[in-house]
Amino acid sequence: MVFTITNSSAQKKEVCIIKTTAGDITVELYPKKAPITVANFLKYVDAHLYDNTTFFRSVTLNNQPNNEVKIEVIQGGEVDSTKVFAPIPLERTSKTGVLHKNGAISMARDAPDTATCSFFICINDQPSLDFGGKRNKDGQGFAAFGKVTKGMDVVKKIQLLGPNNDQYFKPPVTILTIIWTE
């Protein structure tokens, strides 16, 4: 039997630990599948712009009465508007293959090509957030770029801290720092 050594950079993954007041969340990022989105996220991490930001929103099945398509996510990472980097192109799930499965980390956006700093983590599978999904009328989906490998219990704990009727935490859960462990 012959074994071939593969190019290790093709398998390269980045790991970050999101340290919060509710506990730590470890995420594995996919720079080969979603290079623009991963680079954008890591630019905020390297600049320490996520330090002392928050998980500020919890979307549950019960707190989105006006949405026909319901999702479950926690959202965080709002950076001071004077420090936000330029928006990035949307890396659609139809191209990356990184889908919004349970634990996926993805960039928030309004319209295509408007994502900057805010990100969210999926709780349960959320196919309506993928390309062709029905959550946004444009059908372009969101840019998933990695997944939680440790700490989904913390993600669910944060989700449960959210209010029942309003999606915004009062007070929010602090993101102390995000550490890139390469």
Side-chain angles (χ1 to χ4, degrees), residues 151-172:
M152 271 308 286
D153 58 327
V154 176
V155 171
K156 290 176 182 178
K157 180 171 144 182
I158 292 170
Q159 181 195 31
L160 294 176
L161 293 173
N164 291 331
N165 298 328
D166 181 6
Q167 295 179 4
Y168 296 90
F169 292 116
K170 294 173 186 91

Side-chain angles (χ1 to χ4, degrees), residues 36-180:
I36 295 168
T37 310
V38 169
N40 178 68
F41 181 78
L42 291 176
K43 186 164 40 169
Y44 284 96
V45 170
D46 287 344
H48 298 280
L49 292 175
Y50 288 131
D51 292 4
N52 298 308
T53 59
T54 62
F55 278 107
F56 59 89
R57 184 174 177 224
S58 173
V59 184
T60 68
L61 296 177
N62 298 325
N63 68 7
Q64 45 190 324
N66 298 326
N67 292 89
E68 186 177 313
V69 177
K70 299 191 184 308
I71 60 170
E72 290 184 278
V73 302
I74 60 170
Q75 185 176 349
E78 277 298 306
V79 170
D80 178 327
S81 62
T82 64
K83 297 178 180 177
V84 171
F85 299 120
I88 58 170
L90 175 61
E91 289 182 301
R92 291 157 178 83
T93 58
S94 59
K95 302 286 186 207
T96 67
V98 183
L99 302 178
H100 290 88
K101 300 283 188 185
N102 186 45
I105 184 169
S106 188
M107 294 306 293
R109 68 168 183 86
D110 290 321
D113 306 327
T114 63
T116 56
C117 55
S118 185
F119 62 89
F120 62 88
I121 298 173
C122 294
I123 298 156
N124 299 316
D125 292 355
Q126 304 299 324
S128 65
L129 300 175
D130 294 332
F131 180 82
K134 303 290 187 220
R135 179 63 180 199
N136 278 348
K137 291 182 186 194
D138 62 35
Q140 299 302 298
F142 294 82
F145 61 100
K147 71 174 181 180
V148 172
T149 57
K150 185 177 178 187
M152 271 308 286
D153 58 327
V154 176
V155 171
K156 290 176 182 178
K157 180 171 144 182
I158 292 170
Q159 181 195 31
L160 294 176
L161 293 173
N164 291 331
N165 298 328
D166 181 6
Q167 295 179 4
Y168 296 90
F169 292 116
K170 294 173 186 91
V173 176
T174 302
I175 297 171
L176 303 168
T177 191
I178 301 178
I179 299 168
W180 180 15

Side-chain angles (χ1 to χ4, degrees), residues 2-6:
V2 177
F3 293 97
T4 306
I5 297 174
T6 59

